[in-house]
């Protein structure tokens, strides 16, 4: 991460401090302006520089990844190709999800899979080694103008890059790799290069994006578009059961060595403490844990090999209990929660609902979802959607209850405090699903650049 005078931080209104004089911007202009950029132009963010990056390498690298991940055979992953990988525990609950990129025949670089994957490298006894990576910058650009901006910044034609594809280019005279990925539901790209070139690369992208109306994204806003885009995000919409998946794993996650290895990764300290949950559904920590079926990510499971959690996942395969969806929260009821703080000393206010969203500004919040007086699931990741002008969240509900347009009730408030009912409606998932949807958008609709 970066010093206070790095181009990433210049002019920001608020900062997040990660120790050792390292900072990231929390708010650059305003939440509304930053978030709407992903719908009209593009935002450029540096949040992902907190990512745990970890290389798995050696003769058994593919063998290990095949055993700890649910995905198809990693030996078939080509050099420079990427894959969304899922690790589960024996209960079938997600221990990690993130990106895997093949660096060479015996090296797989992982993003956000450690420390779960590093635990297995250290404990499974396979002919494989692991290495934490600290010398890489990691930026993301997200929005309908992101391709044009990156083509201008790199002087390259990037049209041939398919979704999840990767290309190596130059920017400001330095090496950069680009992956076509993003989680807001819009056209987006991730950029990687040597940390020593981070300032040059960031400045070059900003300069290229000026004519397109590019905005810088603050740390606090990063995950907000994900709720719109239908991308459930760890620490916002679900949590990893690292501390409940066996004593050895829990001890590893709490160890001083791991904290030192992870250095400035933002959630290193989360792994050392009890789960910091709030909300009406926080009375049971299991409410925060999910399976691939809960997230509609079961399409990533390849059943033709043995992997951790396979036995449990097979048992629920034909009749998964929960399904993810979007909830629209009733505006009048949200306003009533706000008003509860201004009714005098005789009225106990409900928990604050005025922040831009859950996660980031406040601990992980889980709210019970009711239908006909019965709990049918959990809502998480409430966010103020400036684009649709709604309060929305994702939710994991009993599968047969997920009917678009159905009315439900969200119980807002802490488990040991005042709770208020908020009417909600089951809405489309993903909520934002317009022309520039990254997985399906045909970039040939955008003119090719004139590359010298």
């Amino acid at each position: 991460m970066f010093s206070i005078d790095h181009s990433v931080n210049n002019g920001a209104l608020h900062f997040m401090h990660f120790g050792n004089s390292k900072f990231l911007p929390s708010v650059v202009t305003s939440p509304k302006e930053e978030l709407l950029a992903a719908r009209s132009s593009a935002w450029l963010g540096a949040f992902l520089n907190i990512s745990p990056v970890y290389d798995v390498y050696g003769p058994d690298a593919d063998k290990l990844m095949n055993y700890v991940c649910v995905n198809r055979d990693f030996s078939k992953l080509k050099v420079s190709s990427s894959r969304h990988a899922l690790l589960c525990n024996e209960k079938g609950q997600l221990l990690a999800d993130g990106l895997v990129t093949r660096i060479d025949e015996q090296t797989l670089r992982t993003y956000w899979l450690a420390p779960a994957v590093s635990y297995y490298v250290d404990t499974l006894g396979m002919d494989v080694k692991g290495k934490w990576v600290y010398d890489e910058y990691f930026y993301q650009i997200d929005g309908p103008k992101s391709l044009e901006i990156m083509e201008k910044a790199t002087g390259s034609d990037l049209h041939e890059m398919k979704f999840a594809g990767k290309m190596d280019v130059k920017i400001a005279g330095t090496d950069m790799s680009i992956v076509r990925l993003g989680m807001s539901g819009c056209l987006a790209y991730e950029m990687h290069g040597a940390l020593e070139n981070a300032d040059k690369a960031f400045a070059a992208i900003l300069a290229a994006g000026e004519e397109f109306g590019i905005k810088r994204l603050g740390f606090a806003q990063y995950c907000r578009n994900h709720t719109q885009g239908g991308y459930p995000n760890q620490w916002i919409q679900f949590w990893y059961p690292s501390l409940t998946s066996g004593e050895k794993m829990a001890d590893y996650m709490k160890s001083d060595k791991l904290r030192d290895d992870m250095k400035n990764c933002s959630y290193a300290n989360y792994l050392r403490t009890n789960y910091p949950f709030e909300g009406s559904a926080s009375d049971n920590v299991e409410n925060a844990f999910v399976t691939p079926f809960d997230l509609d990510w079961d399409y990533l499971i390849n059943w033709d090999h043995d992997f951790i959690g396979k036995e449990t996942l097979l048992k629920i395969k034909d009749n998964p209990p929960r399904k993810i969806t979007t909830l629209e929260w009733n505006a009048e009821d949200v306003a009533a929660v706000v008003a509860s703080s201004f009714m005098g000393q005789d009225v106990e206010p409900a928990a604050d609902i005025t922040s831009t969203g859950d996660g980031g500004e406040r601990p992980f919040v889980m709210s019970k979802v009711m239908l006909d007086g019965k709990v049918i699931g959990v809502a998480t990741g409430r966010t103020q959607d400036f684009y649709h002008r709604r309060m929305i969240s994702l939710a994991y509900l009993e599968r047969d209850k997920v009917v678009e347009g159905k009315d439900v009730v969200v119980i807002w408030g802490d488990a040991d405090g005042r709770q208020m009912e908020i009417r909600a409606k089951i809405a489309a998932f993903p909520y934002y699903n317009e022309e520039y949807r990254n997985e399906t958008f045909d970039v040939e609709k955008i003119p090719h650049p004139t590359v010298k």
Side-chain angles (χ1 to χ4, degrees):
M1 281 173 294
F2 312 109
S3 62
I4 196 70
D5 59 353
H6 191 278
S7 58
V8 165
N9 292 313
N10 283 346
L13 298 177
H14 302 285
F15 301 93
M16 295 289 288
H17 182 219
F18 294 90
N20 297 322
S21 300
K22 296 185 184 299
F23 297 84
L24 281 175
S26 177
V27 179
V28 181
T29 53
S30 72
K32 182 177 181 179
E33 182 175 304
E34 294 171 27
L35 289 171
L36 287 178
R39 307 299 174 220
S40 60
S41 54
W43 54 247
L44 176 64
F47 167 82
L48 291 172
N49 284 281
I50 68 164
S51 301
V53 184
Y54 184 83
D55 285 351
V56 179
Y57 63 97
D60 286 348
D62 292 335
K63 178 182 177 181
L64 180 136
M65 294 299 289
N66 286 339
Y67 179 63
V68 303
C69 297
V70 307
N71 306 75
R72 62 190 179 92
D73 189 354
F74 278 90
S75 68
K76 297 178 181 179
L77 185 67
K78 298 179 180 179
V79 173
S80 294
S81 295
S82 301
R83 182 178 297 173
H84 182 192
L86 310 180
L87 280 72
C88 293
N89 63 11
E90 294 291 356
K91 294 181 179 180
Q93 298 166 327
L94 276 186
L95 276 176
D97 83 281
L99 186 71
V100 177
T101 298
R102 182 171 293 282
I103 303 300
D104 57 43
E105 291 302 322
Q106 289 196 357
T107 305
L108 296 166
R109 177 156 295 180
T110 72
Y111 298 87
W112 290 100
L113 295 188
V117 74
S118 63
Y119 168 77
Y120 289 124
V121 167
D122 290 351
T123 60
L124 285 180
M126 295 187 187
D127 189 5
V128 65
K129 296 181 180 179
K131 180 178 68 174
W132 294 89
V133 178
Y134 310 116
D135 58 355
E136 178 181 289
Y137 67 75
F138 191 167
Y139 299 139
Q140 191 175 67
I141 187 169
D142 200 313
K145 298 298 183 181
S146 57
L147 174 59
E148 294 163 272
I149 293 170
M150 291 311 302
E151 288 185 328
K152 181 179 178 181
T154 62
S156 301
D157 189 332
L158 306 176
H159 275 60
E160 68 182 67
M161 196 181 342
K162 306 299 183 184
F163 180 72
K166 177 176 176 285
M167 289 182 64
D168 295 324
V169 296
K170 294 280 187 181
I171 187 168
T174 69
D175 293 328
M176 170 189 279
S177 64
I178 302 181
V179 182
R180 183 177 162 183
L181 281 176
M183 282 71 79
S184 82
C186 197
L187 187 64
Y189 298 84
E190 296 179 350
M191 292 79 73
H192 305 262
L195 188 61
E196 63 183 4
N197 300 320
D199 192 82
K200 289 181 180 179
F202 196 84
I205 298 169
L206 279 183
E210 187 173 356
E211 67 171 292
F212 298 97
I214 195 171
K215 303 295 181 183
R216 289 155 56 203
L217 186 80
F219 184 103
Q221 275 62 257
Y222 176 72
C223 295
R224 305 292 169 247
N225 290 136
H226 298 187
T227 302
Q228 293 177 2
Y231 187 90
N233 205 105
Q234 68 268 55
W235 322 121
I236 307 294
Q237 272 95 14
F238 63 92
W239 207 269
Y240 296 137
S242 304
L243 301 183
T244 63
S245 297
E247 185 176 345
K248 289 183 178 179
M249 179 174 286
D251 288 344
Y252 178 85
M253 297 299 172
K254 295 178 180 179
S255 68
D256 291 339
K257 180 182 183 301
L258 178 61
R259 182 184 58 182
D260 293 340
D261 285 343
M262 295 184 74
K263 291 192 174 179
N264 293 311
C265 182
S266 66
Y267 75 89
N269 286 330
Y270 288 165
L271 301 169
R272 301 170 60 83
T273 60
N274 292 329
Y275 297 113
F277 300 158
E278 293 185 358
S280 59
S282 64
D283 54 352
N284 182 357
V285 298
E286 292 289 322
N287 287 331
F289 309 145
V290 295
T291 74
F293 293 100
D294 295 334
L295 306 179
D296 278 352
W297 287 352
D298 51 292
Y299 70 93
L300 293 170
I301 302 175
N302 182 21
W303 300 102
D304 67 359
H305 70 294
D306 290 329
F307 57 84
I308 298 172
K310 180 178 180 179
E311 183 177 346
T312 302
L313 292 172
L314 276 172
K315 290 178 180 178
I316 65 176
K317 176 176 179 290
D318 295 329
N319 189 26
R322 298 197 301 180
K323 181 177 177 61
I324 192 169
T325 190
T326 310
L327 297 182
E328 289 179 356
W329 294 30
N330 180 274
E332 293 181 355
D333 292 351
V334 170
V337 172
V338 176
S340 72
S341 294
F342 305 100
M343 293 183 172
Q345 292 180 328
D346 295 334
V347 176
E348 181 186 0
D352 179 45
I353 201 172
T354 61
S355 62
T356 306
D358 299 333
E361 296 109 319
R362 57 181 296 159
F364 182 81
V365 180
M366 299 183 290
S367 300
K368 292 179 180 178
V369 180
M370 313 288 290
L371 179 64
D372 298 330
K374 297 180 180 179
V375 177
I376 62 166
V378 177
T380 68
R382 173 203 60 89
T383 194
Q384 185 175 352
D385 182 345
F386 295 105
Y387 183 74
H388 297 99
R389 298 178 183 173
R390 296 277 191 181
M391 183 77 82
I392 64 173
S393 71
L394 298 186
Y396 313 112
L397 306 181
E398 293 178 10
R399 188 163 288 261
D400 63 344
K401 304 298 193 302
V402 179
V403 178
E404 192 170 334
K406 182 186 288 288
D407 293 320
V408 295
V409 173
V410 175
I411 306 301
W412 178 259
D414 295 328
D416 58 354
R418 181 183 179 184
Q419 297 180 357
M420 297 181 67
E421 293 187 355
I422 298 179
R423 289 167 290 173
K425 190 178 294 291
I426 296 176
F429 177 85
Y431 198 63
Y432 176 88
N433 192 17
E434 299 186 8
E435 180 186 9
Y436 284 88
R437 189 81 197 181
N438 202 358
E439 302 94 324
T440 57
F441 179 68
D442 181 6
V443 296
E444 292 302 323
K445 294 180 180 180
I446 298 174
H448 286 251
T450 301
V451 179
K452 298 180 179 179

